[in-house]
Amino acid sequence: MTASGSPSLPVKTVPSPRQIRSTPSWGNWRQRLRLWSGLILFVFCLSHFSNHALGVISVDAMEKASIWHYKVWRNPFGESLLLVAAMTHVLLALWRTARRRTLKMPRWEFIQLVFGFYIPWSLIPHVGTTMGLANNFGFAPTYHQMLTILWPEHGVTQSLLLLVVWSHSMIGLHFWLRLYPLYYRLRFVALAFAVAMPVLALWGFIEGARRLELAKDVKVKVSEAQFDWLTTFVIEGRAVVFGLIACSLLVILFRYLIGLSARRLTITYPGSLAVRAKPGATLLEISRINDVPIASVCGGRARCSTCRVKVFEGEETLAPPEAAEKAVLMRISADKGVRLACQIRPLQNLGVQPLVPVKVTSETSENLKDAYYWGVEQEVVVMFVDLRNFTRITESQLAYDVVHLLNSYLDQASGAIRSEGGFVDKFIGDGIMAIFGMDNNPGQGARQALRAAKRIEAVMQSLETEKGPQFSDPIRLGIGLHLGPAILGRIGVAGASGGLTALGDVVNTASRLETENKTHGSFLVVSKAVIDAAEAEILEAENAEINVRGKEIPLQIFAVNSLDTVKIPEG
C-alpha cells in the first residue's frame, strides 16, 4: 500500500516544541532594554522585601540588614542605576502602550498593564519620603522612622503597593521564563517562592509597625515644612505620571479616530473567514480586534514564535522581517511565507493561516473553537497498517466472505488504535492511516503507537484463528511508524467537524516504512525517532538504514517480527 490518494504537503523538518522552548529569542533592542531594566528593579524589590521579612524577628533585625541594602543601592552608582532603570522601564512601557492599536489583549497582559500604571502613581509618596527628603533635607529613612510614618494611616495602601509590585514582576518573570525547560521543571518551586515572599514581607512589615506603635517611643524627624514639600512633590509627580499615561492612551484614541476615515483592507483566514481592518495595526492586533484567536505566548514580543502564520496571499506587500523576527524565523527553520503575526503590519489585502493552536473562550464561534479548523503545526506519530496479499487471499472468494473478512480486520484494528488514544485518519482500501500524539507530547504518542501495534499484532493472530477454511493463505499485517512534524487540519470540509488529516513528509515516510515490511519479512518497521521518543527498548530486531526521497541523511529503522521483543515504558 502507498500513500497515494492521501494529500501530502512537504514540511521542512523543524525543531520539536521542547527544542524551540529551550532557545527563545530575546526580541529587539527595546524589548531587551525593558527586560534588563525590569530585572534591575526586581533585584531591588527582592532585596527590599527580604529586608521587610526580618520584621518577624524584630525591628532591630530590619535595621541591621538595611545597612547592607543601603550600601548597595544608596551609593551614587546604585542610586543612579536604580533611577535610570525605573525611568527606562516606565518610558518603554508607555511607548509600547502608545503603539497599540487596540486594548484587546489576553487577561494576564491587561492585568500587568494596569498594575504597571498603578505602581508609579502609588510609589511617588514613598520615593519622595525615602529619597526626596533624604537628599534635600538629610532625613534618614530608617525602619523606625518609616514604619512610624506609615502605620497605621498608610498601612493598607503600602501593603497593596507591595502586592501590586510583586504581582507585576511575577507576571513579567513568568511569561519570560516559561519559554525555558528549566523553569518548567522548577515551576512548583518558583510558585512557592512567588507566594512565600510577599507573605513574609507583609508579615514583617505589619509586625514591625505594630511593635513600634505599641512602644510609642519613636519621634518622627520630619518637620511641617518638610511635609509640605513632600505634599507638593507628590502632587507634581503624580501630575507628570498622569500626563504620561493619559498621553499614551490618547495616542491610541487618536489613531482610532483617524482610522475611522482611513481606507480598509481585508484579512482572509481559513474557511473563507474575512475581516476588514485599517492599515497600521499588526496582524495580531487585527485578529484580537475581530476576535480571531491567534496564539501569542510572549505577548507579541517576537520571542516565542507561537503567533506564526503562513501567508498565502499578499506576502509581497509586507515589509521584510526586522532583526528580531528574522532571528525567530531562522531559529525554527521557517518555510518561505511564514511570518510572525505580532510583527507584520498589513498595508494591503492579506491571506493567512495560523500555524499554532490556541486556547479559546466560550464566546468564540464554533469554527474558531476548533484549532484544526485553522491548521495546526505539531509533532505526531503516523501509523500505516496494511493487510498483506489481500488480492491473493480473496481470489475466487464470495463477495460476502471478502467483505466480512475486511470489515472484521478494519473494525478490530481501528478499535485497537482508538483504545490506545490514536486517531483513525482514514481507511485506504485494505489499509489504515492513524495519528498518535495529537492530544499530548511526542513521547506519549510514540508509546501509544507502539502499544497499539502490539494490540494489532493480537488482532492479526485472532483473524488467523477465526478465518474460515475457504481462506487458505495466512493472514499477515504490516505496520509502519514514524515521528515528525505535520500539519493537522480539516481538509475539504470548511466549517464541518470531520475531515481531519495529517499532511507532510512524516505521512509519506510512515507509508514507506510500512512497505519495508515486505523487504524485511517483518510485522513492524519503526523509525529510530519513534523508539527514542518512546524511550523503548528493542531486544530483537533487524537494524537498517534506508534512503528517503528528498532526504540527504539515511533514515535509521528497526524491523520487528514480534512486539514481545519491545519493552514499552508505562505512561
Side-chain angles (χ1 to χ4, degrees):
M1 182 186 69
T2 66
S4 59
S6 61
S8 65
L9 175 68
V11 178
K12 185 182 292 185
T13 301
V14 299
S16 67
R18 183 178 301 175
Q19 291 171 316
I20 289 175
R21 188 169 59 242
S22 65
T23 55
S25 168
W26 284 76
N28 58 39
W29 67 269
R30 287 182 295 271
Q31 291 160 352
R32 292 194 295 271
L33 196 57
R34 188 178 172 202
L35 172 63
W36 283 109
S37 62
L39 289 175
I40 292 171
L41 296 175
F42 170 72
V43 171
F44 172 82
C45 291
L46 180 61
S47 171
H48 197 36
F49 295 168
S50 299
N51 207 154
H52 285 4
L54 294 175
V56 175
I57 302 173
S58 68
V59 178
D60 288 338
M62 299 171 80
E63 296 286 17
K64 290 178 181 178
S66 68
I67 295 174
W68 298 100
H69 175 77
Y70 284 126
K71 278 186 177 181
V72 174
W73 297 106
R74 293 308 296 269
N75 62 72
F77 174 78
E79 201 167 79
S80 299
L81 179 66
L82 189 61
L83 287 173
V84 170
M87 292 296 294
T88 300
H89 199 69
V90 170
L91 291 176
L92 286 176
L94 290 171
W95 179 86
R96 186 168 186 268
T97 301
R99 290 203 70 196
R100 291 181 179 274
R101 302 298 175 118
T102 176
L103 291 178
K104 278 192 175 182
M105 63 190 78
R107 188 179 292 107
W108 69 266
E109 199 173 340
F110 182 77
I111 292 173
Q112 190 183 33
L113 180 64
V114 172
F115 282 1
F117 286 160
Y118 176 83
I119 289 170
W121 177 272
S122 301
L123 194 60
I124 286 174
H126 192 64
V127 173
T129 305
T130 56
M131 297 182 70
L133 292 180
N135 292 335
N136 288 280
F137 303 101
F139 171 70
T142 64
Y143 269 102
H144 283 80
Q145 289 290 310
M146 293 303 301
L147 293 178
T148 303
I149 291 172
L150 292 172
W151 192 267
E153 184 179 354
H154 304 289
V156 173
T157 55
Q158 196 68 16
S159 299
L160 181 62
L161 175 61
L162 185 151
L163 291 174
V164 169
V165 168
W166 187 255
S167 299
H168 178 80
S169 61
M170 288 299 100
I171 292 172
L173 283 174
H174 170 69
F175 284 95
W176 169 49
L177 294 175
R178 74 172 180 170
L179 301 175
Y180 295 88
L182 179 61
Y183 174 71
Y184 181 78
R185 292 195 292 270
L186 298 177
R187 62 191 183 281
F188 295 114
V189 176
L191 177 61
F193 167 75
V195 173
M197 178 52 67
V199 170
L200 290 173
L202 283 176
W203 185 8
F205 165 69
I206 294 171
E207 184 66 21
R210 288 180 67 253
R211 286 174 180 172
L212 291 179
E213 184 189 27
L214 292 173
K216 298 185 182 299
D217 59 355
V218 178
K219 181 180 179 181
V220 176
K221 299 177 181 179
V222 180
S223 66
E224 287 294 329
Q226 291 169 357
F227 271 123
D228 291 340
W229 178 91
L230 179 61
T231 301
T232 303
F233 174 85
V234 170
I235 293 173
E236 292 176 351
R238 283 182 167 172
V240 171
V241 170
F242 177 80
L244 291 173
I245 294 174
C247 285
S248 65
L249 296 177
L250 284 173
V251 169
I252 299 175
L253 178 62
F254 179 74
R255 281 207 189 100
Y256 172 77
L257 294 175
I258 292 296
L260 292 177
S261 59
R263 64 182 177 83
R264 296 265 177 165
L265 55 88
T266 300
I267 306 296
T268 304
Y269 300 88
S272 301
L273 174 64
V275 301
R276 300 282 286 169
K278 299 180 288 292
T282 66
L283 178 61
L284 180 62
E285 289 177 319
I286 292 172
S287 301
R288 285 176 173 175
I289 291 171
N290 292 279
D291 296 320
V292 177
I294 289 185
S296 179
V297 170
C298 70
R301 295 174 174 84
R303 294 185 59 233
C304 66
S305 83
T306 54
C307 69
R308 61 185 180 272
V309 297
K310 177 72 173 178
V311 181
F312 56 82
E313 179 187 340
E315 181 189 0
E316 68 281 355
T317 66
L318 297 173
E322 294 186 357
E325 182 185 7
K326 187 181 295 184
V328 172
L329 295 176
M330 289 179 62
R331 175 167 55 83
I332 63 173
S333 302
D335 288 321
K336 186 178 184 300
V338 174
R339 298 293 299 270
L340 300 185
C342 67
Q343 299 300 303
I344 58 176
R345 296 180 181 272
L347 299 177
Q348 303 290 337
N349 294 344
L350 207 64
V352 299
Q353 175 175 349
L355 296 177
V356 178
V358 62
K359 292 181 179 179
V360 293
T361 64
S362 57
E363 290 80 16
T364 309
S365 68
E366 289 302 317
N367 280 340
L368 301 186
K369 287 181 181 180
D370 180 11
Y372 300 115
Y373 175 83
W374 301 99
V376 175
E377 187 180 20
Q378 185 176 340
E379 276 201 320
V380 293
V381 177
V382 174
M383 169 188 282
F384 274 87
V385 187
D386 183 44
L387 178 58
R388 289 277 173 260
N389 298 322
F390 180 68
T391 303
R392 180 178 172 182
I393 290 174
T394 58
E395 281 180 346
S396 304
Q397 302 299 327
L398 295 174
Y400 170 83
D401 292 332
V402 172
V403 172
H404 177 77
L405 174 64
L406 186 59
N407 281 336
S408 180
Y409 146 63
L410 294 176
D411 287 345
Q412 293 185 59
S414 60
I417 291 168
R418 294 189 182 100
S419 66
E420 291 296 343
F423 172 78
V424 177
D425 182 308
K426 60 175 65 70
F427 298 107
I428 311 171
D430 60 341
I432 303 172
M433 174 181 166
I435 309 169
F436 293 85
M438 292 170 55
D439 300 323
N440 44 47
N441 57 55
Q444 287 179 297
R447 289 188 286 273
Q448 289 174 337
L450 289 172
R451 284 195 289 266
K454 189 175 182 66
R455 286 179 179 267
I456 294 173
E457 184 179 19
V459 169
M460 179 180 69
Q461 295 165 355
S462 173
L463 289 171
E464 176 64 22
T465 303
E466 296 172 2
K467 71 173 185 177
Q470 66 274 32
F471 296 104
S472 57
D473 290 284
I475 302 296
R476 292 290 179 264
L477 302 179
I479 298 177
L481 286 179
H482 186 49
L483 167 68
I487 293 178
L488 307 177
R490 304 200 186 280
I491 307 300
V493 284
S497 60
L500 178 61
T501 191
L503 310 173
D505 281 350
V506 63
V507 177
N508 298 329
T509 303
S511 176
R512 166 71 188 282
L513 295 188
E514 183 275 314
T515 63
E516 283 293 314
N517 284 295
K518 298 176 183 178
T519 303
H520 298 276
S522 54
F523 167 71
L524 167 70
V525 173
V526 55
S527 66
K528 185 176 183 295
V530 174
I531 299 299
D532 289 346
E535 299 178 345
E537 181 182 356
I538 298 181
L539 304 178
E540 183 180 340
E542 180 184 347
N543 192 345
E545 289 185 346
I546 62 171
N547 293 316
V548 180
R549 187 174 61 182
K551 302 289 184 181
E552 296 181 1
I553 302 175
L555 181 67
Q556 187 173 353
I557 63 171
F558 298 96
V560 180
N561 291 321
S562 173
L563 268 294
D564 291 336
T565 63
V566 180
K567 290 186 176 180
I568 309 168
E570 295 295 326

